[in-house]
């Protein structure tokens, strides 16, 4: 399936750039890299994959992660330092399993590590842990963030000093179990194919970075005609892995399309959107999931992503990688093909 998709999209676009790179970490499996520049270095906050023996299913039970490491690099292409375990599921009072894609933010010299995990009822919540260094360790709060749900937190610091959390993911990420921030039960309610797709969520963070300052709101993703992207539009609709950058005056909202395996992006003029679909940043990689972050370092932009090349294709054993991102003069992003055969 992935090969067919790749060939289809290469045929559709003649400006796809081939870029394969080596895993940044080879003594651990790592995934979902959220990269930031803190204290002049690149810090990477990934998931820590391991083989727990849980069989693969559509809810992602095989992604049974139990702790997090932090990595840093002094320079592009430089040595990658492993800062060890910065948070363990056994240290989080409310969490039971599946520590999925995390992120981190800095405010006033303190570092905040955000992570999704399932609680004792197998419901995903988003937690926060606090530290004095970008390298951790992080001390978790007793309870998950009030009003949080689903997965894949990405905390964006806007140029005016406000912080926003983007979150959500469908299928195993449970976003489909909510409407208007209310849990509807575990029946998996999806809109019909010709209805607007489920939306990624956004909430402004409180001053202390430990809670939401407002009710989470839905973010509209629009097509080129200004119409909402529909549930049946699997090539473009939001699945998981939200990330936001402000580049010049434009907000770039990027995300995974899940079962069509792309990292896509849409642009808008403020953090809440709406965002208008623009195209594909990263075509399918080896392995089912595709999850990324984008960061500026010394005037260049870099895409962090993962694939399953080191494990020879095991979808739950991934490795983080990076490559430079190239922009066209009109601000559009050149599509990358990083498939390792
Ligand atoms: O790594 C576990 C989950 O897989 C992440 O939270 C998703 O984004 C997908 O990469």
């Amino acid at each position: 399936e992935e090969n067919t998709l790749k060939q289809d999209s290469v045929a559709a676009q003649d400006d796809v750039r081939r870029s394969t790179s080596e895993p940044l970490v080879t003594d651990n499996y790592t995934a979902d890299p959220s990269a930031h520049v803190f204290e002049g270095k690149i810090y990477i906050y990934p998931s820590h994959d391991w083989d727990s023996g849980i069989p693969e299913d559509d809810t992602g039970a095989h992604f049974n992660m139990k702790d997090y490491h932090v990595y840093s690099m002094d320079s592009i292409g430089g040595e990658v330092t492993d800062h060890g375990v910065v948070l363990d599921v056994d240290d989080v009072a409310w969490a039971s399993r599946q520590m999925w894609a995390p992120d981190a933010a800095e405010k006033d010299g303190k570092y905040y590590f955000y992570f999704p995990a399932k609680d004792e009822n197998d419901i995903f919540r988003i937690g926060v842990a606090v530290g004095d260094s970008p390298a951790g360790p992080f001390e978790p709060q007793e309870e998950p963030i009030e009003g949080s749900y689903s997965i894949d937190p990405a905390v964006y610091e806007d140029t005016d000093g406000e912080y926003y959390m983007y979150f959500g993911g469908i299928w195993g990420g449970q976003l489909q179990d909510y409407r208007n921030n209310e849990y509807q039960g575990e029946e998996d309610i999806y809109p019909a194919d010709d209805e607007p797709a489920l939306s990624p969520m956004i909430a402004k963070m409180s001053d202390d970075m430990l809670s939401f300052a407002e009710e989470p709101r839905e973010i509209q993703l629009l097509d080129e005609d200004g119409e909402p992207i529909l549930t049946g539009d699997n090539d473009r609709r939001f699945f998981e892995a939200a990330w936001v950058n402000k580049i010049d005056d434009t907000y770039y909202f990027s995300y995974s399309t899940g079962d069509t395996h792309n990292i896509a992006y849409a642009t808008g003029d403020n953090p809440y959107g709406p965002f208008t679909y623009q195209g594909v940043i990263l075509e399918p990689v080896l392995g089912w999931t595709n999850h990324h972050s984008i960061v500026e370092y010394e005037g260049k932009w870099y895409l962090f992503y993962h694939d399953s090349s080191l494990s020879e294709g095991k979808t739950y054993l991934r490795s983080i990688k990076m490559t430079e991102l190239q922009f066209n003069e009109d601000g559009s992003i050149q599509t990358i093909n990083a498939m390792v055969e």
Side-chain angles (χ1 to χ4, degrees), residues 32 47 63 65 100-101 151-152 240-241 289 291 306 318:
D32 310 321
S47 303
F63 297 113
M65 295 84 100
W100 283 13
I151 59 165
D152 290 3
E240 62 189 4
T289 65
H291 190 126
H306 66 221
R318 301 160 290 180

PDB file of all heavy atoms in Angstrom, residues 32 47 63 65 100-101 151-152 240-241 289 291 306 318, ligand 1:
ATOM      1  N   ASP A  32       8.467  10.121  17.003  1.00  0.00           N
ATOM      2  CA  ASP A  32       7.678  11.328  17.285  1.00  0.00           C
ATOM      3  C   ASP A  32       8.548  12.486  17.796  1.00  0.00           C
ATOM      4  O   ASP A  32       8.260  13.078  18.848  1.00  0.00           O
ATOM      5  CB  ASP A  32       6.601  11.031  18.348  1.00  0.00           C
ATOM      6  CG  ASP A  32       5.770   9.793  18.045  1.00  0.00           C
ATOM      7  OD1 ASP A  32       5.449   9.583  16.867  1.00  0.00           O
ATOM      8  OD2 ASP A  32       5.441   9.056  18.991  1.00  0.00           O
ATOM      9  N   SER A  47       9.236   9.997  21.627  1.00  0.00           N
ATOM     10  CA  SER A  47       8.720   8.804  22.300  1.00  0.00           C
ATOM     11  C   SER A  47       9.859   7.785  22.355  1.00  0.00           C
ATOM     12  O   SER A  47      10.788   7.818  21.550  1.00  0.00           O
ATOM     13  CB  SER A  47       7.565   8.192  21.509  1.00  0.00           C
ATOM     14  OG  SER A  47       6.528   9.131  21.308  1.00  0.00           O
ATOM     15  N   PHE A  63       2.074   0.299  20.603  1.00  0.00           N
ATOM     16  CA  PHE A  63       2.902   1.445  21.005  1.00  0.00           C
ATOM     17  C   PHE A  63       2.776   1.578  22.533  1.00  0.00           C
ATOM     18  O   PHE A  63       2.110   2.463  23.048  1.00  0.00           O
ATOM     19  CB  PHE A  63       2.432   2.718  20.298  1.00  0.00           C
ATOM     20  CG  PHE A  63       2.580   2.647  18.802  1.00  0.00           C
ATOM     21  CD1 PHE A  63       1.464   2.621  17.984  1.00  0.00           C
ATOM     22  CD2 PHE A  63       3.834   2.613  18.210  1.00  0.00           C
ATOM     23  CE1 PHE A  63       1.594   2.559  16.600  1.00  0.00           C
ATOM     24  CE2 PHE A  63       3.975   2.553  16.829  1.00  0.00           C
ATOM     25  CZ  PHE A  63       2.849   2.526  16.018  1.00  0.00           C
ATOM     26  N   MET A  65       4.668   2.359  25.159  1.00  0.00           N
ATOM     27  CA  MET A  65       5.862   2.982  25.742  1.00  0.00           C
ATOM     28  C   MET A  65       5.677   3.310  27.219  1.00  0.00           C
ATOM     29  O   MET A  65       4.577   3.642  27.661  1.00  0.00           O
ATOM     30  CB  MET A  65       6.195   4.262  24.961  1.00  0.00           C
ATOM     31  CG  MET A  65       6.590   3.976  23.512  1.00  0.00           C
ATOM     32  SD  MET A  65       5.146   3.821  22.460  1.00  0.00           S
ATOM     33  CE  MET A  65       5.132   5.416  21.712  1.00  0.00           C
ATOM     34  N   TRP A 100       2.759   8.309  24.788  1.00  0.00           N
ATOM     35  CA  TRP A 100       2.888   8.607  23.367  1.00  0.00           C
ATOM     36  C   TRP A 100       3.587   9.949  23.134  1.00  0.00           C
ATOM     37  O   TRP A 100       4.235  10.481  24.027  1.00  0.00           O
ATOM     38  CB  TRP A 100       1.513   8.516  22.700  1.00  0.00           C
ATOM     39  CG  TRP A 100       1.066   7.087  22.468  1.00  0.00           C
ATOM     40  CD1 TRP A 100       1.620   5.952  22.990  1.00  0.00           C
ATOM     41  CD2 TRP A 100      -0.028   6.646  21.653  1.00  0.00           C
ATOM     42  NE1 TRP A 100       0.940   4.845  22.555  1.00  0.00           N
ATOM     43  CE2 TRP A 100      -0.070   5.227  21.733  1.00  0.00           C
ATOM     44  CE3 TRP A 100      -0.986   7.293  20.872  1.00  0.00           C
ATOM     45  CZ2 TRP A 100      -1.024   4.464  21.042  1.00  0.00           C
ATOM     46  CZ3 TRP A 100      -1.940   6.542  20.186  1.00  0.00           C
ATOM     47  CH2 TRP A 100      -1.954   5.139  20.268  1.00  0.00           C
ATOM     48  N   ALA A 101       3.428  10.501  21.934  1.00  0.00           N
ATOM     49  CA  ALA A 101       4.261  11.627  21.474  1.00  0.00           C
ATOM     50  C   ALA A 101       4.238  12.834  22.417  1.00  0.00           C
ATOM     51  O   ALA A 101       3.186  13.445  22.619  1.00  0.00           O
ATOM     52  CB  ALA A 101       3.790  12.056  20.097  1.00  0.00           C
ATOM     53  N   ILE A 151      -4.462  12.867  22.344  1.00  0.00           N
ATOM     54  CA  ILE A 151      -3.007  12.631  22.318  1.00  0.00           C
ATOM     55  C   ILE A 151      -2.252  13.777  21.639  1.00  0.00           C
ATOM     56  O   ILE A 151      -2.824  14.765  21.203  1.00  0.00           O
ATOM     57  CB  ILE A 151      -2.683  11.330  21.541  1.00  0.00           C
ATOM     58  CG1 ILE A 151      -3.197  11.410  20.088  1.00  0.00           C
ATOM     59  CG2 ILE A 151      -3.256  10.117  22.261  1.00  0.00           C
ATOM     60  CD1 ILE A 151      -2.625  10.354  19.161  1.00  0.00           C
ATOM     61  N   ASP A 152      -0.941  13.580  21.540  1.00  0.00           N
ATOM     62  CA  ASP A 152      -0.037  14.385  20.714  1.00  0.00           C
ATOM     63  C   ASP A 152      -0.081  15.887  21.028  1.00  0.00           C
ATOM     64  O   ASP A 152      -0.338  16.717  20.139  1.00  0.00           O
ATOM     65  CB  ASP A 152      -0.307  14.133  19.218  1.00  0.00           C
ATOM     66  CG  ASP A 152       0.118  12.738  18.776  1.00  0.00           C
ATOM     67  OD1 ASP A 152       0.562  11.956  19.634  1.00  0.00           O
ATOM     68  OD2 ASP A 152       0.010  12.431  17.584  1.00  0.00           O
ATOM     69  N   GLU A 240      -3.389  13.042  13.261  1.00  0.00           N
ATOM     70  CA  GLU A 240      -2.667  13.214  14.527  1.00  0.00           C
ATOM     71  C   GLU A 240      -1.415  14.058  14.261  1.00  0.00           C
ATOM     72  O   GLU A 240      -1.213  14.555  13.158  1.00  0.00           O
ATOM     73  CB  GLU A 240      -2.272  11.841  15.111  1.00  0.00           C
ATOM     74  CG  GLU A 240      -1.339  11.027  14.227  1.00  0.00           C
ATOM     75  CD  GLU A 240      -1.138   9.594  14.711  1.00  0.00           C
ATOM     76  OE1 GLU A 240      -1.756   9.164  15.692  1.00  0.00           O
ATOM     77  OE2 GLU A 240      -0.352   8.879  14.056  1.00  0.00           O
ATOM     78  N   ALA A 241      -0.579  14.249  15.285  1.00  0.00           N
ATOM     79  CA  ALA A 241       0.740  14.874  15.140  1.00  0.00           C
ATOM     80  C   ALA A 241       0.680  16.347  14.715  1.00  0.00           C
ATOM     81  O   ALA A 241       1.377  16.776  13.793  1.00  0.00           O
ATOM     82  CB  ALA A 241       1.603  14.083  14.148  1.00  0.00           C
ATOM     83  N   THR A 289       3.314   4.782  10.876  1.00  0.00           N
ATOM     84  CA  THR A 289       3.126   6.161  11.362  1.00  0.00           C
ATOM     85  C   THR A 289       4.091   7.125  10.680  1.00  0.00           C
ATOM     86  O   THR A 289       5.176   6.747  10.258  1.00  0.00           O
ATOM     87  CB  THR A 289       3.339   6.263  12.886  1.00  0.00           C
ATOM     88  OG1 THR A 289       4.704   5.962  13.180  1.00  0.00           O
ATOM     89  CG2 THR A 289       2.418   5.329  13.649  1.00  0.00           C
ATOM     90  N   HIS A 291       5.357  11.112  11.719  1.00  0.00           N
ATOM     91  CA  HIS A 291       5.209  12.115  12.796  1.00  0.00           C
ATOM     92  C   HIS A 291       6.479  12.954  12.810  1.00  0.00           C
ATOM     93  O   HIS A 291       7.578  12.431  12.715  1.00  0.00           O
ATOM     94  CB  HIS A 291       5.009  11.396  14.135  1.00  0.00           C
ATOM     95  CG  HIS A 291       4.607  12.293  15.256  1.00  0.00           C
ATOM     96  ND1 HIS A 291       3.489  12.070  16.026  1.00  0.00           N
ATOM     97  CD2 HIS A 291       5.177  13.418  15.742  1.00  0.00           C
ATOM     98  CE1 HIS A 291       3.390  13.017  16.944  1.00  0.00           C
ATOM     99  NE2 HIS A 291       4.415  13.854  16.792  1.00  0.00           N
ATOM    100  N   HIS A 306      10.537  10.362  11.777  1.00  0.00           N
ATOM    101  CA  HIS A 306      11.024   9.034  12.151  1.00  0.00           C
ATOM    102  C   HIS A 306      10.698   8.054  11.035  1.00  0.00           C
ATOM    103  O   HIS A 306       9.872   8.344  10.161  1.00  0.00           O
ATOM    104  CB  HIS A 306      10.413   8.575  13.489  1.00  0.00           C
ATOM    105  CG  HIS A 306       8.931   8.332  13.461  1.00  0.00           C
ATOM    106  ND1 HIS A 306       8.074   8.700  14.472  1.00  0.00           N
ATOM    107  CD2 HIS A 306       8.124   7.738  12.529  1.00  0.00           C
ATOM    108  CE1 HIS A 306       6.845   8.343  14.188  1.00  0.00           C
ATOM    109  NE2 HIS A 306       6.846   7.768  13.001  1.00  0.00           N
ATOM    110  N   ARG A 318      10.742   2.512  15.933  1.00  0.00           N
ATOM    111  CA  ARG A 318      11.081   3.571  14.993  1.00  0.00           C
ATOM    112  C   ARG A 318      12.356   4.296  15.415  1.00  0.00           C
ATOM    113  O   ARG A 318      12.836   4.120  16.535  1.00  0.00           O
ATOM    114  CB  ARG A 318       9.903   4.561  14.927  1.00  0.00           C
ATOM    115  CG  ARG A 318       8.612   3.871  14.479  1.00  0.00           C
ATOM    116  CD  ARG A 318       7.357   4.633  14.837  1.00  0.00           C
ATOM    117  NE  ARG A 318       7.101   4.627  16.267  1.00  0.00           N
ATOM    118  CZ  ARG A 318       6.059   5.216  16.853  1.00  0.00           C
ATOM    119  NH1 ARG A 318       5.178   5.861  16.111  1.00  0.00           N
ATOM    120  NH2 ARG A 318       5.896   5.179  18.154  1.00  0.00           N
TER     121      ARG A 318
HETATM  122  O1  LIG B   1       4.080   6.968  19.008  1.00  0.00           O
HETATM  123  C1  LIG B   1       2.740   6.704  19.349  1.00  0.00           C
HETATM  124  C2  LIG B   1       1.814   7.398  18.429  1.00  0.00           C
HETATM  125  O2  LIG B   1       2.072   6.998  17.096  1.00  0.00           O
HETATM  126  C3  LIG B   1       1.958   8.897  18.398  1.00  0.00           C
HETATM  127  O3  LIG B   1       1.396   9.557  19.488  1.00  0.00           O
HETATM  128  C4  LIG B   1       1.313   9.163  17.095  1.00  0.00           C
HETATM  129  O4  LIG B   1       1.471  10.454  16.618  1.00  0.00           O
HETATM  130  C5  LIG B   1       1.958   8.116  16.223  1.00  0.00           C
HETATM  131  O5  LIG B   1       3.236   8.489  15.807  1.00  0.00           O
END
